[in-house]
Amino acid sequence: FTCYLYSGASLNVTSPGGMITAAPAVVVYGNSSTPALFVTNSGTLNGNISISGTMSGGVTNNAGGVISGDIDNKYNSVISGASGITNNGLITGNILNSGSISNGGITNGGTITGGIVSSGSISNAGITNDGTITGAISLYGGKGSSFSGSLTNTGQIGGGISNFGTIGGSISNSGTITGGISNGVTVGGTISNGIVNSGTINGGITNTDGIAISGTINNGIVNRGTINGGITNGAAGSNTSGTINGGITNTGAINGTINLAGSTLNLNGTSGSVNGQILGGKGTVNVNGTYTRSAGNEINVANFNLDSAGVLNFAASESVTAGNTQLAGTLGVGSGVTATFNG
């Protein structure tokens, strides 16, 4: 049977033995004046949880709990409880939000074999993952859509992060994201408080589709970890570029091409590396720490600055092409190596 929750009702599926075998498993119909309360699962739900009304609590799937389907907060529906949607068990589906989650956000400490998709509103909270999400996290803009918090990952995200709307906070990663981070691809997106990576991002960071759409990242990109796949803020031969206010600051490892377009790359610290080309017809590179050039990694930008405290080492014969070059720091050129500056 399907469990229907109306105004003032709640559901607690316990373990061991608690089970609902129907699909959908739970349908919530509370109203704004007398909302439904909460859904808590520690057992097994063999179907979706569908929210088509108002809940004053939230939806919680505890450790050991299994939901074989989606948790779907539908258009014009509201989850206002402090727990929001919380998963510490297993969801063999997606978390979908086209309504409003007004306090607790979405928290995953378990496993979601699908992804998280929000085209609605998430306010006074964000999305936090310290478990495993096999699919992607996708945030969409449009009428009635907002995301005022931050997206924080300390776990595993297998399908990347795509933002097509506005994130009021930041994207912070100290876990692993496979599939990269895209902002402003197909639809212009905005990240208000930057991207900070101290983990691993496989698939790079993209802030434009290179054709017609560009994104905006305020407060920059800070990398202290590893980014495999480079950073794209513009594409060769395209008039479209994204905006990164605050630039890119690297003290970690970036493997792949960095296309700055008109942005700035700050190479700080003593152990950071870029294994790939650095391009940008209007871009600026500042070497403030220690940076070692390796073979085959072209630098072609508008401005190249070696700070007085910076060290630029050439491990192989390479060139730097820039319209304006300022060398105030230490230049290290190995025996038999030629360093060429064009500008």
Side-chain angles (χ1 to χ4, degrees):
F1 65 92
T2 296
C3 179
Y4 294 92
L5 299 183
Y6 294 92
S7 297
S10 60
L11 173 66
N12 185 12
V13 180
T14 60
S15 177
M19 179 179 291
I20 298 177
T21 59
V26 181
V27 179
V28 178
Y29 283 126
N31 59 57
S32 57
S33 59
T34 310
L37 301 180
F38 61 83
V39 175
T40 301
N41 177 54
S42 300
T44 300
L45 305 180
N46 288 327
N48 295 352
I49 297 176
S50 177
I51 299 132
S52 298
T54 301
M55 301 181 69
S56 62
V59 178
T60 302
N61 188 41
N62 290 322
V66 177
I67 300 174
S68 298
D70 299 333
I71 298 176
D72 187 1
N73 187 43
K74 294 185 177 295
Y75 183 71
N76 281 338
S77 297
V78 177
I79 299 173
S80 61
S83 61
I85 298 175
T86 300
N87 175 54
N88 289 305
L90 172 63
I91 299 173
T92 60
N94 305 285
I95 295 178
L96 307 173
N97 174 49
S98 53
S100 173
I101 303 173
S102 61
N103 283 302
I106 299 173
T107 302
N108 178 54
T111 298
I112 302 171
T113 63
I116 296 174
V117 180
S118 179
S119 58
S121 171
I122 300 176
S123 55
N124 303 314
I127 296 175
T128 301
N129 176 56
D130 61 4
T132 299
I133 300 172
T134 303
I137 296 178
S138 301
L139 304 175
Y140 291 87
K143 184 178 180 180
S145 174
S146 65
F147 185 87
S148 65
S150 294
L151 197 163
T152 303
N153 177 56
T154 59
Q156 309 280 328
I157 299 174
I161 297 171
S162 297
N163 177 49
F164 307 96
T166 297
I167 296 175
S170 65
I171 295 178
S172 176
N173 176 55
S174 58
T176 300
I177 299 172
T178 300
I181 297 173
S182 63
N183 179 58
V185 178
T186 71
V187 177
T190 299
I191 301 171
S192 301
N193 205 26
I195 298 173
V196 178
N197 177 53
S198 56
T200 300
I201 300 174
N202 297 314
I205 298 174
T206 303
N207 195 40
T208 176
D209 67 356
I211 301 172
I213 305 298
S214 61
T216 298
I217 300 172
N218 295 318
N219 290 313
I221 297 172
V222 176
N223 179 51
R224 306 184 188 104
T226 300
I227 300 174
N228 296 314
I231 298 174
T232 301
N233 191 44
S238 171
N239 292 322
T240 301
S241 63
T243 300
I244 304 176
N245 295 314
I248 301 165
T249 300
N250 181 55
T251 58
I254 300 176
N255 300 313
T257 297
I258 300 175
N259 196 314
L260 295 170
S263 188
T264 297
L265 172 63
N266 297 305
L267 300 171
N268 295 352
T270 59
S271 59
S273 64
V274 176
N275 184 25
Q277 296 177 311
I278 302 174
L279 307 175
K282 297 180 181 179
T284 297
V285 174
N286 297 318
V287 180
N288 302 312
T290 300
Y291 171 54
T292 300
R293 297 287 315 283
S294 55
N297 293 332
E298 174 190 6
I299 296 179
N300 192 334
V301 294
N303 304 292
F304 185 89
N305 303 311
L306 176 61
D307 184 77
S308 59
V311 178
L312 175 62
N313 295 317
F314 282 77
S317 295
E318 283 294 337
S319 64
V320 174
T321 300
N324 179 43
T325 300
Q326 301 291 329
L327 302 176
T330 301
L331 189 63
V333 181
S335 176
V337 172
T338 300
T340 303
F341 291 86
N342 301 312

